[in-house]
Amino acid sequence: MIDHYHIYPSYNPLNESRIIKMIEAQSELKFIGKIYFISKSKDQSLLKKYNHYTLIKLNCYLKNKNIISKILGTLIWYLKLISFFLKREKSKISVSIHSFSMLPLIIIFRMFEDIKIIYEPHEYESGMDNKSNFLNFIVIFMEKLFLKHIDLFISPTHSIEKIYKKNFTINCKTTTILNVSRIKQISLLKKKKLKNGVKKIFKNSKNKLNFVYVGLLEKSRKMEQLLSVFQEVNNNIIFFGYGTYENKIRNLSRLHSNIKFGGKINEKEVVDKLSSFDIGFVLLDNCINYKHALPNKFFQYINGRVPIITNNNVDMKIIINKFSCGWVFKKDIDLKRLIKKLNHKQLKSKLNNLDKVYNKYSWVREKEKIKNIYKNFLNANL
């Protein structure tokens, strides 16, 4: 029996669906004992038990948002993490590290006790666009230094796995677990019923294509381009999510009857909500990290039987072209042309292919893959 820890410096651990899904799969393995998820807290530190795991939130939040406060907050997080590991009852454990910043600390701890280390980045860490050149250099240096000491590498996409294998020395097994949706694909009959709800949102929805966007409402998600296009075309669009563009979308919805803001939706409702619409967007900036992303919402559209429009992203492009379940455009200028030329006949041809995508990328399949990976890895190290 071995206890397992997930460590990720997030202030909203319950929103980290990828980690929660990993925990759900691990909880079904008899040789894994207790499962812990260690994260940050903006309030007091706490320990709370859930069905499959214990959540440990360590308070390291400083109200000031300047660079000094951020550095101090990170140091407090490190110190509290060190304190937690020093105080815990010593036993053989495995640790999933979901951020490069935790790698050095856990590898140092392994010098003093038996720890198996799994590195599970949620993205291509050194390709993140919000990092300065200096910070990117630090990330690359740390990953090159420490990745050779891990015991298992789990990538979020196949293309990211290839990048890490090409650019870093990894002396262990590498594999990919996709961030597929846990919600089952809805039936065609249910989708037909749900589509009636669009009439309540758009009074002019008849004979028009009704588009949907779900996710962060930020510039990096090409909000500017989408809003510009739908002020000029005749089709409808609704935005679900949160971000700096919320007020702009609300203001435009007062001027344009074909633009609506739907607010936030939780994971349990999202597939049903999306299913009401004809076509969904997954749009990302062209930085290296986003170019190799395969977000959860991509699979939520699939499970809601909603064909997808995306820009020139590696993994999404491969799936869309292989199964003909959506459209890919290369340049921002092409988005308007694509939306203008789409019709219900083209939509129907894509809809018929979504079953094949779901059968290939369902949670049932991915969950079994997770269990087999941990069976092989942990059984070999017990």
Side-chain angles (χ1 to χ4, degrees):
M1 191 75 74
I2 187 168
D3 291 342
H4 190 82
Y5 290 79
H6 290 270
I7 304 175
Y8 190 51
S10 167
Y11 285 112
N12 301 295
L14 299 181
N15 291 339
E16 302 299 338
S17 62
R18 181 175 176 84
I19 298 176
I20 302 301
K21 284 182 280 193
M22 286 286 190
I23 290 171
E24 182 185 316
Q26 290 168 341
S27 69
E28 297 180 11
L29 297 171
K30 293 179 180 178
F31 54 84
I32 293 183
K34 295 176 181 177
I35 301 174
Y36 300 90
F37 181 3
I38 305 175
S39 69
K40 291 182 176 181
S41 172
K42 288 186 178 181
D43 303 308
Q44 73 275 15
S45 296
L46 63 83
L47 185 150
K48 187 174 181 179
K49 291 188 176 181
Y50 289 87
N51 286 339
H52 305 305
Y53 67 101
T54 300
L55 176 64
I56 299 164
K57 296 181 75 174
L58 304 176
N59 180 15
C60 58
Y61 182 71
L62 298 175
K63 290 184 179 179
N64 292 330
K65 294 185 178 180
N66 56 45
I67 187 68
I68 295 172
S69 295
K70 287 181 180 179
I71 292 169
L72 283 173
T74 301
L75 286 173
I76 293 169
W77 158 251
Y78 272 121
L79 290 170
K80 290 199 173 184
L81 201 58
I82 290 167
S83 175
F84 171 82
F85 272 95
L86 288 174
K87 289 178 181 177
R88 54 169 277 277
E89 186 180 332
K90 298 296 182 290
S91 62
K92 195 170 186 178
I93 64 170
S94 54
V95 179
S96 288
I97 300 166
H98 297 269
S99 168
F100 78 94
S101 60
M102 300 294 100
L103 263 178
L105 187 63
I106 302 304
I107 286 171
I108 290 168
F109 267 112
R110 189 164 67 174
M111 295 168 64
F112 304 100
E113 61 176 301
D114 192 359
I115 299 176
K116 298 300 172 187
I117 299 173
I118 301 106
Y119 186 43
E120 301 187 39
H122 295 187
E123 52 212 338
Y124 180 38
E125 294 272 9
S126 49
M128 291 174 71
D129 197 38
N130 61 343
K131 288 187 172 76
S132 66
N133 289 335
F134 175 73
L135 191 53
N136 262 332
F137 172 80
I138 296 295
V139 174
I140 292 169
F141 173 78
M142 287 176 65
E143 287 191 317
K144 284 192 173 181
L145 185 63
F146 292 106
L147 276 178
K148 60 184 75 170
H149 300 292
I150 65 174
D151 300 299
L152 177 65
F153 178 87
I154 299 178
S155 171
T157 73
H158 294 291
S159 64
I160 288 177
E161 182 183 358
K162 288 177 183 176
I163 290 172
Y164 270 99
K165 287 172 77 173
K166 180 182 177 182
N167 296 341
F168 300 93
T169 301
I170 302 177
N171 300 318
C172 63
K173 178 181 172 59
T174 67
T175 188
T176 293
I177 294 295
L178 302 177
N179 195 20
V180 301
S181 173
R182 284 183 292 179
I183 310 299
K184 291 182 179 179
Q185 188 178 54
I186 66 164
S187 67
L188 286 167
L189 181 62
K190 187 176 181 181
K191 181 175 176 70
K192 192 174 181 180
K193 289 178 180 178
L194 288 169
K195 279 178 73 69
N196 291 328
V198 177
K199 296 173 185 176
K200 297 177 183 177
I201 301 169
F202 297 107
K203 294 179 181 178
N204 60 345
S205 63
K206 192 176 181 181
N207 299 323
K208 289 187 178 183
L209 288 174
N210 299 297
F211 292 78
V212 60
Y213 173 90
V214 63
L216 282 176
L217 306 173
E218 299 291 347
K219 188 177 181 180
S220 62
R221 270 41 173 192
K222 298 196 177 289
M223 285 298 103
E224 233 16 273
Q225 290 88 333
L226 262 186
L227 290 170
S228 174
V229 167
F230 277 90
Q231 288 177 71
E232 299 179 33
V233 299
N234 196 31
N235 294 310
N236 300 317
I237 186 169
I238 187 167
F239 293 87
F240 292 110
Y242 58 92
T244 55
Y245 275 76
E246 282 184 44
N247 288 335
K248 184 167 185 177
I249 294 167
R250 284 193 179 98
N251 291 336
L252 284 172
S253 69
R254 297 185 188 103
L255 301 172
H256 302 272
S257 61
N258 66 322
I259 297 174
K260 301 290 182 184
F261 177 63
K264 297 178 187 177
I265 43 177
N266 65 48
E267 190 186 3
K268 291 180 180 178
E269 296 176 327
V270 67
V271 170
D272 279 4
K273 287 272 189 182
L274 298 178
S275 183
S276 305
F277 302 91
D278 297 313
I279 298 169
F281 289 102
V282 184
L283 305 178
L284 299 167
D285 266 356
N286 260 344
C287 70
I288 296 172
N289 178 39
Y290 289 156
K291 192 174 180 180
H292 297 277
L294 191 51
N296 187 37
K297 63 184 148 188
F298 179 85
F299 298 104
Q300 289 170 336
Y301 284 129
I302 299 296
N303 294 8
R305 295 182 182 273
V306 181
I308 300 153
I309 291 177
T310 188
N311 49 331
N312 209 17
N313 169 287
V314 175
D315 293 82
M316 286 190 278
K317 181 180 177 180
I318 289 170
I319 295 172
I320 286 174
N321 289 342
K322 181 178 179 179
F323 293 96
S324 189
C325 59
W327 300 266
V328 179
F329 66 94
K330 290 184 179 180
K331 297 178 181 179
D332 289 348
I333 197 170
D334 299 328
L335 178 60
K336 184 177 173 182
R337 294 180 195 146
L338 174 61
I339 291 170
K340 277 189 168 183
K341 76 174 186 179
L342 290 177
N343 55 53
H344 283 88
K345 186 178 180 181
Q346 291 170 306
L347 173 65
K348 190 175 180 181
S349 70
K350 304 296 182 184
L351 274 169
N352 294 335
N353 297 321
L354 291 170
D355 280 341
K356 298 173 189 174
V357 191
Y358 177 72
N359 291 335
K360 175 74 174 175
Y361 300 107
S362 70
W363 168 237
V364 173
R365 286 172 65 103
E366 215 64 13
K367 185 178 179 180
E368 283 306 307
K369 187 178 177 182
I370 295 168
K371 287 161 70 175
N372 287 330
I373 287 167
Y374 276 92
K375 275 179 189 175
N376 296 332
F377 172 66
L378 293 178
N379 270 333
N381 289 285
L382 282 173

